[in-house]
Amino acid sequence: MNTAVLLVALALVAVSGLVVIATSDPKRQAAPLSVFSLCLTVLFVVFQAPDVALSELAVGAAVVPLLVLLTLRKVDRK
């Protein structure tokens, strides 16, 4: 059971990482990047690292995509 959960979490991370790489538009890349971070959060929970999972959830799933979108908005204005 534990190995199956681990394999599913690793597969989710791999697939979501490929989706991030395959997305060429930076504006559209922010959403898959957030999903990728959520998958990493699940993986860290499976690895029993809740503190790392909480950090990944806050920074990777929320802050980084927001900063990407704000930066793209600022660059587009100029």
Side-chain angles (χ1 to χ4, degrees), residues 12-64:
L12 284 174
V13 169
V15 169
S16 62
L18 287 175
V19 170
V20 171
I21 291 171
T23 306
S24 60
D25 185 20
K27 288 181 183 176
R28 291 185 177 181
Q29 202 173 32
L33 182 63
S34 183
V35 172
F36 175 69
S37 294
L38 289 174
C39 293
L40 278 178
T41 301
V42 170
L43 183 65
F44 290 141
V45 168
V46 170
F47 278 133
Q48 297 179 349
D51 52 341
V52 180
L54 189 59
S55 297
E56 181 64 30
L57 182 64
V59 175
V63 175
V64 171

